[in-house]
Amino acid sequence: MENRVEIGKTGLRVTPIGFGANTIGAHNLFQNIDEEVSRETIRVALTEGADFFDSAFMYGLGRSEELIGEILAETGRRSDVVLATKAAHIVNGDQIKLDNSPAFLTEAVDIALERLQTDYIDLFYIHFPDGRTPPDEAVGALQRLKEAGKIRAIGVSNFNMEALAAANKDGYVDVVQDKYSLIYPELEADMIPYCIENEISFIPYTPLASGLLTGKFTEQNPPQDFRKERPHFQGQKYLDIITKVDSLKALTEQHQVSIANIILATTLGIDGIDVVIPGAKSPDQVRANMKTLDAKLTKEEIAQVRALFK
C-alpha cells in the first residue's frame, strides 16, 4: 500500500490510514472517557505515522479539537499533520439544532481554529445539512474562508445526492464524508460515481460497520450494547455476515494482519476512496489500525473480498 496519497485534488498528502477522533474527549457520546488516555492515544498516533486527524465539534462539544490542539502544540507537530474538523450543530442543554448559515460557519471556523491552536484548518466539513440554508450558499461561505487562508479544502458530510449536487453547483466541494462499508455499499450506485466524476474524494465513516467486520463477534458472542438493535446484528443476516468475516482468516494469515486490516485495505482499494479514518480510543487500537499499511492486497484479493459481501 502506498505510504502517502493525495486526498482528491486538494493537494493534501497523507498516510491513507487516518485517525478518527470521534472518541477523543467525547464525554457527550461515550461513557468512561479518560482524557489522559485520549492524550496518549494522540501521541502514539503521531509516533506510529498517522498524519491525518479527523475531528468535529460534536466529538465532546469541542473537546476532541482541544485535546488534538494541545498535543500538537506540546509536540510541535502541527506542520506534520493534516487536520480535518466539522461543524453544524448548536447545542443548548438537551436541545440540538443544525445551522449551515454563512454567519454560523464563519464563526465555527474561527472557534475551531482557537481550539486546535492553529491559524489554518486543512479540511473543514459542513457536518450535516440543516435543511434550510441553500447548500451552495453554505459552501460559498467556506470558499470565502478558503480564499482567506483559514481553510485549505472544503468538505460536506451526511449530504444526500440532491444536497451534494446543489452544494457542488460551483465545483467547490473537495471531499465528501458519509456512511459506507462493504456490507452497506448503497452509495456505490450514485454518490461514489458522482465523486469520481467530479474529482471529489470520498471518505467513508464506519468502514468496519460498528465492529461487525472486525471478527471480534461470533454467534455465541454478539454485541450487548446498542448495536444489538441494528438490523445487521440480528437473526440470519448477522450469522451470514460473521460466517463471511470468519472466512477471511486465511487471508489474514497470508498477510500477517487482522481481519479489520483486511477490510480497511479492501476499502482503500475502491475507486474514489483515498483514505480511511478508523476510530481509536487507546494506543493499542491506533497501533492495530496502522498495521493496515502492512496489508499489501492484490487487485484480485480486493475483488474477492468485495464479492464476498455483495
Side-chain angles (χ1 to χ4, degrees), residues 257-269:
V257 296
S258 70
I259 288 173
N261 297 145
I262 295 293
I263 296 294
L264 292 174
T266 299
T267 305
L268 282 168

Side-chain angles (χ1 to χ4, degrees), residues 71-137:
I71 300 306
L72 290 179
E74 167 197 297
T75 58
R77 297 287 300 277
R78 170 64 185 101
S79 62
D80 298 335
V81 305
V82 168
L83 286 179
T85 194
K86 318 174 199 75
H89 300 78
I90 297 174
V91 178
N92 185 3
D94 293 335
Q95 302 296 312
I96 299 177
K97 104 173 166 176
L98 296 171
D99 194 344
N100 293 175
S101 68
F104 170 82
L105 292 172
T106 300
E107 182 180 17
V109 167
D110 284 338
I111 294 171
L113 287 168
E114 292 180 16
R115 292 195 191 104
L116 290 164
Q117 299 188 43
T118 185
D119 55 5
Y120 67 97
I121 293 167
D122 297 283
L123 170 57
F124 190 89
Y125 294 93
I126 301 170
H127 201 165
F128 280 85
D130 67 8
R132 301 183 308 277
T133 307
D136 61 310
E137 287 187 16

Side-chain angles (χ1 to χ4, degrees), residues 138-297:
V139 169
L142 295 186
Q143 177 64 19
R144 290 189 290 276
L145 293 169
K146 184 176 179 179
E147 291 165 358
K150 291 188 176 184
I151 65 177
R152 296 176 65 191
I154 295 168
V156 297
S157 182
N158 300 296
F159 278 48
N160 63 26
M161 257 320 301
E162 182 182 0
L164 171 57
N168 195 43
K169 186 177 80 171
D170 299 307
Y172 293 151
V173 175
D174 298 304
V175 182
V176 166
Q177 188 176 127
D178 214 313
K179 185 176 181 178
Y180 171 88
S181 84
L182 299 181
I183 60 170
Y184 28 83
E186 293 80 9
L187 298 183
E188 291 179 22
D190 52 11
M191 188 169 289
I192 293 178
Y194 175 88
C195 288
I196 293 170
E197 182 181 345
N198 289 275
E199 297 184 278
I200 295 169
S201 187
F202 179 83
I203 297 181
Y205 66 78
T206 64
L208 296 173
S210 301
L212 185 52
L213 297 181
T214 63
K216 68 180 179 181
F217 296 121
T218 64
E219 181 177 357
Q220 293 74 30
N221 179 40
Q224 297 302 313
D225 55 17
F226 63 92
R227 287 174 288 195
K228 65 184 179 183
E229 306 301 329
R230 294 181 174 177
H232 284 93
F233 286 87
Q234 297 179 6
Q236 192 61 43
K237 180 176 284 189
Y238 172 72
L239 297 177
D240 289 345
I241 292 171
I242 61 174
T243 298
K244 291 175 180 179
V245 169
D246 193 60
S247 73
L248 295 173
K249 285 183 178 176
L251 204 53
T252 68
E253 291 168 7
Q254 180 182 336
H255 290 275
Q256 294 295 295
V257 296
S258 70
I259 288 173
N261 297 145
I262 295 293
I263 296 294
L264 292 174
T266 299
T267 305
L268 282 168
I270 296 170
D271 286 347
I273 297 177
D274 302 309
V275 296
V276 292
I277 46 170
K281 59 184 176 183
S282 70
D284 284 346
Q285 287 183 354
V286 169
R287 295 185 184 102
N289 289 338
M290 295 305 288
K291 278 191 68 65
T292 303
L293 296 172
D294 297 333
K296 315 288 187 185
L297 301 188

